[in-house]
Amino acid sequence: QRVERDRPEDDEVGQHVAADETNCTVGGLRPDTAYWFMVKAHNGEGASNPSNIAETRTLQLPAPILSIDDTTVRTLSCSWTFDGEADHYEVQCVELGEPEESEAAEKLYEGLAPESTYTIRVRAIVGEGETAYASPWSEDVQGTTLPLSAPEDLETEATTTSIEATWSEVDE
């Protein structure tokens, strides 16, 4: 028997299985893509008419799961997990513009404004060049940088004509 699959942009592809088999698994397919299958029996007399055509679709890649790991006054670090094998990732801080490529499943944003909220998202990229495909974007996750530290230990000393104020140095 011969199982054939087809995609609109591909030529017909076939796979042979033993005559007593009634199933097969076809691998190497793209995620979230429609395929059409039909079966023909082959023997010494030739090929049968094709079976009905079954249309099916491969599942979509899962979205990465993103979390904010740490924030400081001017930095935000995030990491993510992905249930699959990615060649790289695109991670985007919406407020900073276009996505950036990342080989690692983590990203550190530096030089941010204090006490500001940033929206981060990530998606996995599988493959390279024109044959690459992307997972859906993760859920947007927001992280807020810390406020600038306030001066502490404010003390004053007054004289009859002035007041001197002193305080501890501020760490950023």
Side-chain angles (χ1 to χ4, degrees), residues 66-68 76 78 80 91-96 107 109 112 118-122 137-143:
L66 174 66
S67 62
I68 303 296
L76 183 149
C78 59
W80 52 90
V91 59
Q92 180 180 25
C93 178
V94 175
E95 292 75 10
L96 299 179
K107 175 76 175 158
Y109 287 99
L112 304 176
Y118 295 90
T119 303
I120 311 294
R121 65 177 72 154
V122 65
W137 286 102
S138 65
E139 289 188 23
D140 288 356
V141 175
Q142 292 188 325

mmCIF file with all atom_site columns, all heavy atoms in Angstrom, residues 66-68 76 78 80 91-96 107 109 112 118-122 137-143:
data_model
loop_
_atom_site.group_PDB
_atom_site.id
_atom_site.type_symbol
_atom_site.label_atom_id
_atom_site.label_alt_id
_atom_site.label_comp_id
_atom_site.label_asym_id
_atom_site.label_entity_id
_atom_site.label_seq_id
_atom_site.pdbx_PDB_ins_code
_atom_site.Cartn_x
_atom_site.Cartn_y
_atom_site.Cartn_z
_atom_site.occupancy
_atom_site.B_iso_or_equiv
_atom_site.pdbx_formal_charge
_atom_site.auth_seq_id
_atom_site.auth_comp_id
_atom_site.auth_asym_id
_atom_site.auth_atom_id
_atom_site.pdbx_PDB_model_num
ATOM 1   N N   . LEU A 1 66  ? 6.891  32.597 29.791 1.00 0.00 ? 66  LEU A N   1
ATOM 2   C CA  . LEU A 1 66  ? 7.807  33.679 30.147 1.00 0.00 ? 66  LEU A CA  1
ATOM 3   C C   . LEU A 1 66  ? 7.606  34.108 31.594 1.00 0.00 ? 66  LEU A C   1
ATOM 4   O O   . LEU A 1 66  ? 6.472  34.152 32.082 1.00 0.00 ? 66  LEU A O   1
ATOM 5   C CB  . LEU A 1 66  ? 7.534  34.867 29.205 1.00 0.00 ? 66  LEU A CB  1
ATOM 6   C CG  . LEU A 1 66  ? 8.250  36.180 29.452 1.00 0.00 ? 66  LEU A CG  1
ATOM 7   C CD1 . LEU A 1 66  ? 9.755  36.026 29.234 1.00 0.00 ? 66  LEU A CD1 1
ATOM 8   C CD2 . LEU A 1 66  ? 7.688  37.249 28.518 1.00 0.00 ? 66  LEU A CD2 1
ATOM 9   N N   . SER A 1 67  ? 8.708  34.435 32.271 1.00 0.00 ? 67  SER A N   1
ATOM 10  C CA  . SER A 1 67  ? 8.597  34.980 33.630 1.00 0.00 ? 67  SER A CA  1
ATOM 11  C C   . SER A 1 67  ? 9.641  36.077 33.828 1.00 0.00 ? 67  SER A C   1
ATOM 12  O O   . SER A 1 67  ? 10.712 36.056 33.208 1.00 0.00 ? 67  SER A O   1
ATOM 13  C CB  . SER A 1 67  ? 8.779  33.884 34.686 1.00 0.00 ? 67  SER A CB  1
ATOM 14  O OG  . SER A 1 67  ? 10.055 33.312 34.586 1.00 0.00 ? 67  SER A OG  1
ATOM 15  N N   . ILE A 1 68  ? 9.316  37.030 34.675 1.00 0.00 ? 68  ILE A N   1
ATOM 16  C CA  . ILE A 1 68  ? 10.247 38.081 35.084 1.00 0.00 ? 68  ILE A CA  1
ATOM 17  C C   . ILE A 1 68  ? 11.008 37.531 36.285 1.00 0.00 ? 68  ILE A C   1
ATOM 18  O O   . ILE A 1 68  ? 10.404 37.103 37.265 1.00 0.00 ? 68  ILE A O   1
ATOM 19  C CB  . ILE A 1 68  ? 9.514  39.381 35.459 1.00 0.00 ? 68  ILE A CB  1
ATOM 20  C CG1 . ILE A 1 68  ? 8.647  39.879 34.300 1.00 0.00 ? 68  ILE A CG1 1
ATOM 21  C CG2 . ILE A 1 68  ? 10.511 40.447 35.915 1.00 0.00 ? 68  ILE A CG2 1
ATOM 22  C CD1 . ILE A 1 68  ? 9.388  40.266 33.057 1.00 0.00 ? 68  ILE A CD1 1
ATOM 23  N N   . LEU A 1 76  ? 15.908 44.822 34.086 1.00 0.00 ? 76  LEU A N   1
ATOM 24  C CA  . LEU A 1 76  ? 14.834 43.829 34.184 1.00 0.00 ? 76  LEU A CA  1
ATOM 25  C C   . LEU A 1 76  ? 15.361 42.563 33.517 1.00 0.00 ? 76  LEU A C   1
ATOM 26  O O   . LEU A 1 76  ? 15.836 42.610 32.379 1.00 0.00 ? 76  LEU A O   1
ATOM 27  C CB  . LEU A 1 76  ? 13.597 44.348 33.455 1.00 0.00 ? 76  LEU A CB  1
ATOM 28  C CG  . LEU A 1 76  ? 12.338 43.496 33.504 1.00 0.00 ? 76  LEU A CG  1
ATOM 29  C CD1 . LEU A 1 76  ? 11.127 44.418 33.438 1.00 0.00 ? 76  LEU A CD1 1
ATOM 30  C CD2 . LEU A 1 76  ? 12.278 42.517 32.387 1.00 0.00 ? 76  LEU A CD2 1
ATOM 31  N N   . CYS A 1 78  ? 14.535 38.494 32.445 1.00 0.00 ? 78  CYS A N   1
ATOM 32  C CA  . CYS A 1 78  ? 13.456 37.542 32.238 1.00 0.00 ? 78  CYS A CA  1
ATOM 33  C C   . CYS A 1 78  ? 14.033 36.250 31.676 1.00 0.00 ? 78  CYS A C   1
ATOM 34  O O   . CYS A 1 78  ? 15.143 36.221 31.140 1.00 0.00 ? 78  CYS A O   1
ATOM 35  C CB  . CYS A 1 78  ? 12.388 38.112 31.302 1.00 0.00 ? 78  CYS A CB  1
ATOM 36  S SG  . CYS A 1 78  ? 13.000 38.577 29.673 1.00 0.00 ? 78  CYS A SG  1
ATOM 37  N N   . TRP A 1 80  ? 12.534 32.106 30.061 1.00 0.00 ? 80  TRP A N   1
ATOM 38  C CA  . TRP A 1 80  ? 11.363 31.386 29.585 1.00 0.00 ? 80  TRP A CA  1
ATOM 39  C C   . TRP A 1 80  ? 11.701 29.924 29.382 1.00 0.00 ? 80  TRP A C   1
ATOM 40  O O   . TRP A 1 80  ? 12.860 29.539 29.289 1.00 0.00 ? 80  TRP A O   1
ATOM 41  C CB  . TRP A 1 80  ? 10.830 31.998 28.295 1.00 0.00 ? 80  TRP A CB  1
ATOM 42  C CG  . TRP A 1 80  ? 11.869 32.165 27.233 1.00 0.00 ? 80  TRP A CG  1
ATOM 43  C CD1 . TRP A 1 80  ? 12.227 31.273 26.266 1.00 0.00 ? 80  TRP A CD1 1
ATOM 44  C CD2 . TRP A 1 80  ? 12.719 33.301 27.037 1.00 0.00 ? 80  TRP A CD2 1
ATOM 45  N NE1 . TRP A 1 80  ? 13.228 31.781 25.482 1.00 0.00 ? 80  TRP A NE1 1
ATOM 46  C CE2 . TRP A 1 80  ? 13.547 33.025 25.935 1.00 0.00 ? 80  TRP A CE2 1
ATOM 47  C CE3 . TRP A 1 80  ? 12.861 34.531 27.685 1.00 0.00 ? 80  TRP A CE3 1
ATOM 48  C CZ2 . TRP A 1 80  ? 14.500 33.929 25.458 1.00 0.00 ? 80  TRP A CZ2 1
ATOM 49  C CZ3 . TRP A 1 80  ? 13.809 35.417 27.218 1.00 0.00 ? 80  TRP A CZ3 1
ATOM 50  C CH2 . TRP A 1 80  ? 14.612 35.124 26.118 1.00 0.00 ? 80  TRP A CH2 1
ATOM 51  N N   . VAL A 1 91  ? 12.705 37.907 21.324 1.00 0.00 ? 91  VAL A N   1
ATOM 52  C CA  . VAL A 1 91  ? 12.174 38.461 22.569 1.00 0.00 ? 91  VAL A CA  1
ATOM 53  C C   . VAL A 1 91  ? 11.982 39.957 22.343 1.00 0.00 ? 91  VAL A C   1
ATOM 54  O O   . VAL A 1 91  ? 12.798 40.618 21.718 1.00 0.00 ? 91  VAL A O   1
ATOM 55  C CB  . VAL A 1 91  ? 13.096 38.147 23.766 1.00 0.00 ? 91  VAL A CB  1
ATOM 56  C CG1 . VAL A 1 91  ? 14.489 38.687 23.580 1.00 0.00 ? 91  VAL A CG1 1
ATOM 57  C CG2 . VAL A 1 91  ? 12.505 38.642 25.071 1.00 0.00 ? 91  VAL A CG2 1
ATOM 58  N N   . GLN A 1 92  ? 10.859 40.461 22.828 1.00 0.00 ? 92  GLN A N   1
ATOM 59  C CA  . GLN A 1 92  ? 10.521 41.858 22.573 1.00 0.00 ? 92  GLN A CA  1
ATOM 60  C C   . GLN A 1 92  ? 10.080 42.549 23.853 1.00 0.00 ? 92  GLN A C   1
ATOM 61  O O   . GLN A 1 92  ? 9.234  42.041 24.586 1.00 0.00 ? 92  GLN A O   1
ATOM 62  C CB  . GLN A 1 92  ? 9.388  41.944 21.551 1.00 0.00 ? 92  GLN A CB  1
ATOM 63  C CG  . GLN A 1 92  ? 8.969  43.358 21.224 1.00 0.00 ? 92  GLN A CG  1
ATOM 64  C CD  . GLN A 1 92  ? 7.842  43.422 20.216 1.00 0.00 ? 92  GLN A CD  1
ATOM 65  O OE1 . GLN A 1 92  ? 7.058  42.485 20.084 1.00 0.00 ? 92  GLN A OE1 1
ATOM 66  N NE2 . GLN A 1 92  ? 7.763  44.522 19.498 1.00 0.00 ? 92  GLN A NE2 1
ATOM 67  N N   . CYS A 1 93  ? 10.679 43.694 24.087 1.00 0.00 ? 93  CYS A N   1
ATOM 68  C CA  . CYS A 1 93  ? 10.178 44.627 25.093 1.00 0.00 ? 93  CYS A CA  1
ATOM 69  C C   . CYS A 1 93  ? 9.367  45.643 24.293 1.00 0.00 ? 93  CYS A C   1
ATOM 70  O O   . CYS A 1 93  ? 9.927  46.415 23.510 1.00 0.00 ? 93  CYS A O   1
ATOM 71  C CB  . CYS A 1 93  ? 11.322 45.294 25.845 1.00 0.00 ? 93  CYS A CB  1
ATOM 72  S SG  . CYS A 1 93  ? 10.726 46.493 27.053 1.00 0.00 ? 93  CYS A SG  1
ATOM 73  N N   . VAL A 1 94  ? 8.069  45.578 24.431 1.00 0.00 ? 94  VAL A N   1
ATOM 74  C CA  . VAL A 1 94  ? 7.163  46.359 23.584 1.00 0.00 ? 94  VAL A CA  1
ATOM 75  C C   . VAL A 1 94  ? 7.526  47.848 23.613 1.00 0.00 ? 94  VAL A C   1
ATOM 76  O O   . VAL A 1 94  ? 7.553  48.507 22.578 1.00 0.00 ? 94  VAL A O   1
ATOM 77  C CB  . VAL A 1 94  ? 5.694  46.129 24.012 1.00 0.00 ? 94  VAL A CB  1
ATOM 78  C CG1 . VAL A 1 94  ? 4.750  47.019 23.233 1.00 0.00 ? 94  VAL A CG1 1
ATOM 79  C CG2 . VAL A 1 94  ? 5.326  44.655 23.842 1.00 0.00 ? 94  VAL A CG2 1
ATOM 80  N N   . GLU A 1 95  ? 7.847  48.366 24.779 1.00 0.00 ? 95  GLU A N   1
ATOM 81  C CA  . GLU A 1 95  ? 8.145  49.796 24.914 1.00 0.00 ? 95  GLU A CA  1
ATOM 82  C C   . GLU A 1 95  ? 9.466  50.185 24.237 1.00 0.00 ? 95  GLU A C   1
ATOM 83  O O   . GLU A 1 95  ? 9.686  51.355 23.946 1.00 0.00 ? 95  GLU A O   1
ATOM 84  C CB  . GLU A 1 95  ? 8.193  50.204 26.395 1.00 0.00 ? 95  GLU A CB  1
ATOM 85  C CG  . GLU A 1 95  ? 6.855  50.142 27.097 1.00 0.00 ? 95  GLU A CG  1
ATOM 86  C CD  . GLU A 1 95  ? 6.375  48.734 27.442 1.00 0.00 ? 95  GLU A CD  1
ATOM 87  O OE1 . GLU A 1 95  ? 7.159  47.761 27.321 1.00 0.00 ? 95  GLU A OE1 1
ATOM 88  O OE2 . GLU A 1 95  ? 5.205  48.598 27.827 1.00 0.00 ? 95  GLU A OE2 1
ATOM 89  N N   . LEU A 1 96  ? 10.346 49.225 23.968 1.00 0.00 ? 96  LEU A N   1
ATOM 90  C CA  . LEU A 1 96  ? 11.643 49.528 23.356 1.00 0.00 ? 96  LEU A CA  1
ATOM 91  C C   . LEU A 1 96  ? 11.665 49.278 21.853 1.00 0.00 ? 96  LEU A C   1
ATOM 92  O O   . LEU A 1 96  ? 12.650 49.578 21.191 1.00 0.00 ? 96  LEU A O   1
ATOM 93  C CB  . LEU A 1 96  ? 12.760 48.719 24.029 1.00 0.00 ? 96  LEU A CB  1
ATOM 94  C CG  . LEU A 1 96  ? 12.956 48.981 25.516 1.00 0.00 ? 96  LEU A CG  1
ATOM 95  C CD1 . LEU A 1 96  ? 14.070 48.107 26.066 1.00 0.00 ? 96  LEU A CD1 1
ATOM 96  C CD2 . LEU A 1 96  ? 13.236 50.451 25.789 1.00 0.00 ? 96  LEU A CD2 1
ATOM 97  N N   . LYS A 1 107 ? 16.980 36.900 28.986 1.00 0.00 ? 107 LYS A N   1
ATOM 98  C CA  . LYS A 1 107 ? 17.320 38.218 28.451 1.00 0.00 ? 107 LYS A CA  1
ATOM 99  C C   . LYS A 1 107 ? 17.415 39.205 29.602 1.00 0.00 ? 107 LYS A C   1
ATOM 100 O O   . LYS A 1 107 ? 16.600 39.177 30.530 1.00 0.00 ? 107 LYS A O   1
ATOM 101 C CB  . LYS A 1 107 ? 16.237 38.664 27.458 1.00 0.00 ? 107 LYS A CB  1
ATOM 102 C CG  . LYS A 1 107 ? 16.386 40.056 26.917 1.00 0.00 ? 107 LYS A CG  1
ATOM 103 C CD  . LYS A 1 107 ? 17.475 40.142 25.877 1.00 0.00 ? 107 LYS A CD  1
ATOM 104 C CE  . LYS A 1 107 ? 17.491 41.542 25.279 1.00 0.00 ? 107 LYS A CE  1
ATOM 105 N NZ  . LYS A 1 107 ? 18.757 41.861 24.683 1.00 0.00 ? 107 LYS A NZ  1
ATOM 106 N N   . TYR A 1 109 ? 17.504 43.278 30.213 1.00 0.00 ? 109 TYR A N   1
ATOM 107 C CA  . TYR A 1 109 ? 17.333 44.631 29.676 1.00 0.00 ? 109 TYR A CA  1
ATOM 108 C C   . TYR A 1 109 ? 17.987 45.595 30.651 1.00 0.00 ? 109 TYR A C   1
ATOM 109 O O   . TYR A 1 109 ? 17.727 45.543 31.850 1.00 0.00 ? 109 TYR A O   1
ATOM 110 C CB  . TYR A 1 109 ? 15.849 44.974 29.520 1.00 0.00 ? 109 TYR A CB  1
ATOM 111 C CG  . TYR A 1 109 ? 15.208 44.246 28.366 1.00 0.00 ? 109 TYR A CG  1
ATOM 112 C CD1 . TYR A 1 109 ? 14.469 43.097 28.585 1.00 0.00 ? 109 TYR A CD1 1
ATOM 113 C CD2 . TYR A 1 109 ? 15.348 44.706 27.063 1.00 0.00 ? 109 TYR A CD2 1
ATOM 114 C CE1 . TYR A 1 109 ? 13.879 42.423 27.520 1.00 0.00 ? 109 TYR A CE1 1
ATOM 115 C CE2 . TYR A 1 109 ? 14.763 44.038 25.994 1.00 0.00 ? 109 TYR A CE2 1
ATOM 116 C CZ  . TYR A 1 109 ? 14.030 42.904 26.239 1.00 0.00 ? 109 TYR A CZ  1
ATOM 117 O OH  . TYR A 1 109 ? 13.456 42.239 25.192 1.00 0.00 ? 109 TYR A OH  1
ATOM 118 N N   . LEU A 1 112 ? 17.153 50.970 31.750 1.00 0.00 ? 112 LEU A N   1
ATOM 119 C CA  . LEU A 1 112 ? 15.729 51.295 31.786 1.00 0.00 ? 112 LEU A CA  1
ATOM 120 C C   . LEU A 1 112 ? 15.465 52.450 32.744 1.00 0.00 ? 112 LEU A C   1
ATOM 121 O O   . LEU A 1 112 ? 16.303 52.805 33.569 1.00 0.00 ? 112 LEU A O   1
ATOM 122 C CB  . LEU A 1 112 ? 14.930 50.055 32.211 1.00 0.00 ? 112 LEU A CB  1
ATOM 123 C CG  . LEU A 1 112 ? 15.133 48.802 31.357 1.00 0.00 ? 112 LEU A CG  1
ATOM 124 C CD1 . LEU A 1 112 ? 14.358 47.636 31.943 1.00 0.00 ? 112 LEU A CD1 1
ATOM 125 C CD2 . LEU A 1 112 ? 14.739 49.060 29.916 1.00 0.00 ? 112 LEU A CD2 1
ATOM 126 N N   . TYR A 1 118 ? 7.352  47.681 31.980 1.00 0.00 ? 118 TYR A N   1
ATOM 127 C CA  . TYR A 1 118 ? 7.724  47.207 30.646 1.00 0.00 ? 118 TYR A CA  1
ATOM 128 C C   . TYR A 1 118 ? 6.981  45.915 30.349 1.00 0.00 ? 118 TYR A C   1
ATOM 129 O O   . TYR A 1 118 ? 6.813  45.074 31.236 1.00 0.00 ? 118 TYR A O   1
ATOM 130 C CB  . TYR A 1 118 ? 9.238  46.988 30.564 1.00 0.00 ? 118 TYR A CB  1
ATOM 131 C CG  . TYR A 1 118 ? 10.005 48.273 30.717 1.00 0.00 ? 118 TYR A CG  1
ATOM 132 C CD1 . TYR A 1 118 ? 10.418 48.715 31.972 1.00 0.00 ? 118 TYR A CD1 1
ATOM 133 C CD2 . TYR A 1 118 ? 10.292 49.061 29.614 1.00 0.00 ? 118 TYR A CD2 1
ATOM 134 C CE1 . TYR A 1 118 ? 11.116 49.899 32.118 1.00 0.00 ? 118 TYR A CE1 1
ATOM 135 C CE2 . TYR A 1 118 ? 10.984 50.255 29.753 1.00 0.00 ? 118 TYR A CE2 1
ATOM 136 C CZ  . TYR A 1 118 ? 11.390 50.668 31.003 1.00 0.00 ? 118 TYR A CZ  1
ATOM 137 O OH  . TYR A 1 118 ? 12.069 51.860 31.144 1.00 0.00 ? 118 TYR A OH  1
ATOM 138 N N   . THR A 1 119 ? 6.549  45.759 29.106 1.00 0.00 ? 119 THR A N   1
ATOM 139 C CA  . THR A 1 119 ? 5.832  44.574 28.660 1.00 0.00 ? 119 THR A CA  1
ATOM 140 C C   . THR A 1 119 ? 6.766  43.728 27.806 1.00 0.00 ? 119 THR A C   1
ATOM 141 O O   . THR A 1 119 ? 7.315  44.215 26.815 1.00 0.00 ? 119 THR A O   1
ATOM 142 C CB  . THR A 1 119 ? 4.584  44.965 27.846 1.00 0.00 ? 119 THR A CB  1
ATOM 143 O OG1 . THR A 1 119 ? 3.771  45.817 28.655 1.00 0.00 ? 119 THR A OG1 1
ATOM 144 C CG2 . THR A 1 119 ? 3.792  43.735 27.422 1.00 0.00 ? 119 THR A CG2 1
ATOM 145 N N   . ILE A 1 120 ? 6.941  42.468 28.189 1.00 0.00 ? 120 ILE A N   1
ATOM 146 C CA  . ILE A 1 120 ? 7.867  41.557 27.511 1.00 0.00 ? 120 ILE A CA  1
ATOM 147 C C   . ILE A 1 120 ? 7.067  40.415 26.903 1.00 0.00 ? 120 ILE A C   1
ATOM 148 O O   . ILE A 1 120 ? 6.091  39.939 27.482 1.00 0.00 ? 120 ILE A O   1
ATOM 149 C CB  . ILE A 1 120 ? 8.905  40.971 28.499 1.00 0.00 ? 120 ILE A CB  1
ATOM 150 C CG1 . ILE A 1 120 ? 9.549  42.078 29.342 1.00 0.00 ? 120 ILE A CG1 1
ATOM 151 C CG2 . ILE A 1 120 ? 9.943  40.143 27.764 1.00 0.00 ? 120 ILE A CG2 1
ATOM 152 C CD1 . ILE A 1 120 ? 10.387 43.049 28.584 1.00 0.00 ? 120 ILE A CD1 1
ATOM 153 N N   . ARG A 1 121 ? 7.514  39.929 25.729 1.00 0.00 ? 121 ARG A N   1
ATOM 154 C CA  . ARG A 1 121 ? 6.946  38.738 25.086 1.00 0.00 ? 121 ARG A CA  1
ATOM 155 C C   . ARG A 1 121 ? 8.081  38.016 24.369 1.00 0.00 ? 121 ARG A C   1
ATOM 156 O O   . ARG A 1 121 ? 9.097  38.605 24.041 1.00 0.00 ? 121 ARG A O   1
ATOM 157 C CB  . ARG A 1 121 ? 5.809  39.104 24.134 1.00 0.00 ? 121 ARG A CB  1
ATOM 158 C CG  . ARG A 1 121 ? 6.264  39.922 22.945 1.00 0.00 ? 121 ARG A CG  1
ATOM 159 C CD  . ARG A 1 121 ? 5.152  40.221 21.978 1.00 0.00 ? 121 ARG A CD  1
ATOM 160 N NE  . ARG A 1 121 ? 4.260  41.201 22.560 1.00 0.00 ? 121 ARG A NE  1
ATOM 161 C CZ  . ARG A 1 121 ? 3.513  42.026 21.864 1.00 0.00 ? 121 ARG A CZ  1
ATOM 162 N NH1 . ARG A 1 121 ? 3.526  41.999 20.561 1.00 0.00 ? 121 ARG A NH1 1
ATOM 163 N NH2 . ARG A 1 121 ? 2.741  42.890 22.457 1.00 0.00 ? 121 ARG A NH2 1
ATOM 164 N N   . VAL A 1 122 ? 7.874  36.729 24.114 1.00 0.00 ? 122 VAL A N   1
ATOM 165 C CA  . VAL A 1 122 ? 8.896  35.927 23.439 1.00 0.00 ? 122 VAL A CA  1
ATOM 166 C C   . VAL A 1 122 ? 8.221  34.875 22.570 1.00 0.00 ? 122 VAL A C   1
ATOM 167 O O   . VAL A 1 122 ? 7.099  34.457 22.852 1.00 0.00 ? 122 VAL A O   1
ATOM 168 C CB  . VAL A 1 122 ? 9.849  35.272 24.487 1.00 0.00 ? 122 VAL A CB  1
ATOM 169 C CG1 . VAL A 1 122 ? 9.115  34.280 25.358 1.00 0.00 ? 122 VAL A CG1 1
ATOM 170 C CG2 . VAL A 1 122 ? 11.041 34.614 23.813 1.00 0.00 ? 122 VAL A CG2 1
ATOM 171 N N   . TRP A 1 137 ? 3.412  34.011 20.017 1.00 0.00 ? 137 TRP A N   1
ATOM 172 C CA  . TRP A 1 137 ? 4.032  34.806 21.077 1.00 0.00 ? 137 TRP A CA  1
ATOM 173 C C   . TRP A 1 137 ? 3.556  34.283 22.428 1.00 0.00 ? 137 TRP A C   1
ATOM 174 O O   . TRP A 1 137 ? 2.416  33.831 22.564 1.00 0.00 ? 137 TRP A O   1
ATOM 175 C CB  . TRP A 1 137 ? 3.647  36.275 20.957 1.00 0.00 ? 137 TRP A CB  1
ATOM 176 C CG  . TRP A 1 137 ? 4.340  36.998 19.836 1.00 0.00 ? 137 TRP A CG  1
ATOM 177 C CD1 . TRP A 1 137 ? 3.801  37.308 18.628 1.00 0.00 ? 137 TRP A CD1 1
ATOM 178 C CD2 . TRP A 1 137 ? 5.681  37.486 19.818 1.00 0.00 ? 137 TRP A CD2 1
ATOM 179 N NE1 . TRP A 1 137 ? 4.727  37.963 17.856 1.00 0.00 ? 137 TRP A NE1 1
ATOM 180 C CE2 . TRP A 1 137 ? 5.894  38.085 18.558 1.00 0.00 ? 137 TRP A CE2 1
ATOM 181 C CE3 . TRP A 1 137 ? 6.721  37.464 20.738 1.00 0.00 ? 137 TRP A CE3 1
ATOM 182 C CZ2 . TRP A 1 137 ? 7.099  38.670 18.205 1.00 0.00 ? 137 TRP A CZ2 1
ATOM 183 C CZ3 . TRP A 1 137 ? 7.928  38.050 20.386 1.00 0.00 ? 137 TRP A CZ3 1
ATOM 184 C CH2 . TRP A 1 137 ? 8.116  38.642 19.137 1.00 0.00 ? 137 TRP A CH2 1
ATOM 185 N N   . SER A 1 138 ? 4.419  34.363 23.417 1.00 0.00 ? 138 SER A N   1
ATOM 186 C CA  . SER A 1 138 ? 4.021  34.047 24.793 1.00 0.00 ? 138 SER A CA  1
ATOM 187 C C   . SER A 1 138 ? 2.975  35.066 25.237 1.00 0.00 ? 138 SER A C   1
ATOM 188 O O   . SER A 1 138 ? 2.754  36.086 24.575 1.00 0.00 ? 138 SER A O   1
ATOM 189 C CB  . SER A 1 138 ? 5.236  34.150 25.718 1.00 0.00 ? 138 SER A CB  1
ATOM 190 O OG  . SER A 1 138 ? 5.696  35.497 25.782 1.00 0.00 ? 138 SER A OG  1
ATOM 191 N N   . GLU A 1 139 ? 2.375  34.785 26.357 1.00 0.00 ? 139 GLU A N   1
ATOM 192 C CA  . GLU A 1 139 ? 1.515  35.806 26.960 1.00 0.00 ? 139 GLU A CA  1
ATOM 193 C C   . GLU A 1 139 ? 2.408  36.988 27.334 1.00 0.00 ? 139 GLU A C   1
ATOM 194 O O   . GLU A 1 139 ? 3.556  36.797 27.745 1.00 0.00 ? 139 GLU A O   1
ATOM 195 C CB  . GLU A 1 139 ? 0.823  35.262 28.203 1.00 0.00 ? 139 GLU A CB  1
ATOM 196 C CG  . GLU A 1 139 ? -0.239 34.231 27.889 1.00 0.00 ? 139 GLU A CG  1
ATOM 197 C CD  . GLU A 1 139 ? -1.056 33.852 29.121 1.00 0.00 ? 139 GLU A CD  1
ATOM 198 O OE1 . GLU A 1 139 ? -1.117 34.651 30.079 1.00 0.00 ? 139 GLU A OE1 1
ATOM 199 O OE2 . GLU A 1 139 ? -1.616 32.751 29.092 1.00 0.00 ? 139 GLU A OE2 1
ATOM 200 N N   . ASP A 1 140 ? 1.890  38.192 27.171 1.00 0.00 ? 140 ASP A N   1
ATOM 201 C CA  . ASP A 1 140 ? 2.639  39.372 27.590 1.00 0.00 ? 140 ASP A CA  1
ATOM 202 C C   . ASP A 1 140 ? 2.798  39.342 29.110 1.00 0.00 ? 140 ASP A C   1
ATOM 203 O O   . ASP A 1 140 ? 1.847  39.057 29.838 1.00 0.00 ? 140 ASP A O   1
ATOM 204 C CB  . ASP A 1 140 ? 1.905  40.655 27.200 1.00 0.00 ? 140 ASP A CB  1
ATOM 205 C CG  . ASP A 1 140 ? 1.947  40.922 25.694 1.00 0.00 ? 140 ASP A CG  1
ATOM 206 O OD1 . ASP A 1 140 ? 2.607  40.165 24.960 1.00 0.00 ? 140 ASP A OD1 1
ATOM 207 O OD2 . ASP A 1 140 ? 1.313  41.903 25.264 1.00 0.00 ? 140 ASP A OD2 1
ATOM 208 N N   . VAL A 1 141 ? 4.015  39.629 29.555 1.00 0.00 ? 141 VAL A N   1
ATOM 209 C CA  . VAL A 1 141 ? 4.304  39.679 30.984 1.00 0.00 ? 141 VAL A CA  1
ATOM 210 C C   . VAL A 1 141 ? 4.862  41.060 31.283 1.00 0.00 ? 141 VAL A C   1
ATOM 211 O O   . VAL A 1 141 ? 5.718  41.560 30.547 1.00 0.00 ? 141 VAL A O   1
ATOM 212 C CB  . VAL A 1 141 ? 5.309  38.575 31.390 1.00 0.00 ? 141 VAL A CB  1
ATOM 213 C CG1 . VAL A 1 141 ? 5.702  38.705 32.840 1.00 0.00 ? 141 VAL A CG1 1
ATOM 214 C CG2 . VAL A 1 141 ? 4.724  37.197 31.114 1.00 0.00 ? 141 VAL A CG2 1
ATOM 215 N N   . GLN A 1 142 ? 4.385  41.670 32.357 1.00 0.00 ? 142 GLN A N   1
ATOM 216 C CA  . GLN A 1 142 ? 4.858  43.003 32.710 1.00 0.00 ? 142 GLN A CA  1
ATOM 217 C C   . GLN A 1 142 ? 5.769  42.949 33.924 1.00 0.00 ? 142 GLN A C   1
ATOM 218 O O   . GLN A 1 142 ? 5.543  42.181 34.854 1.00 0.00 ? 142 GLN A O   1
ATOM 219 C CB  . GLN A 1 142 ? 3.676  43.930 32.995 1.00 0.00 ? 142 GLN A CB  1
ATOM 220 C CG  . GLN A 1 142 ? 2.873  44.217 31.739 1.00 0.00 ? 142 GLN A CG  1
ATOM 221 C CD  . GLN A 1 142 ? 1.828  45.281 31.966 1.00 0.00 ? 142 GLN A CD  1
ATOM 222 O OE1 . GLN A 1 142 ? 1.234  45.383 33.028 1.00 0.00 ? 142 GLN A OE1 1
ATOM 223 N NE2 . GLN A 1 142 ? 1.602  46.089 30.937 1.00 0.00 ? 142 GLN A NE2 1
ATOM 224 N N   . GLY A 1 143 ? 6.803  43.770 33.858 1.00 0.00 ? 143 GLY A N   1
ATOM 225 C CA  . GLY A 1 143 ? 7.721  43.932 34.971 1.00 0.00 ? 143 GLY A CA  1
ATOM 226 C C   . GLY A 1 143 ? 7.945  45.407 35.208 1.00 0.00 ? 143 GLY A C   1
ATOM 227 O O   . GLY A 1 143 ? 7.966  46.193 34.263 1.00 0.00 ? 143 GLY A O   1
#
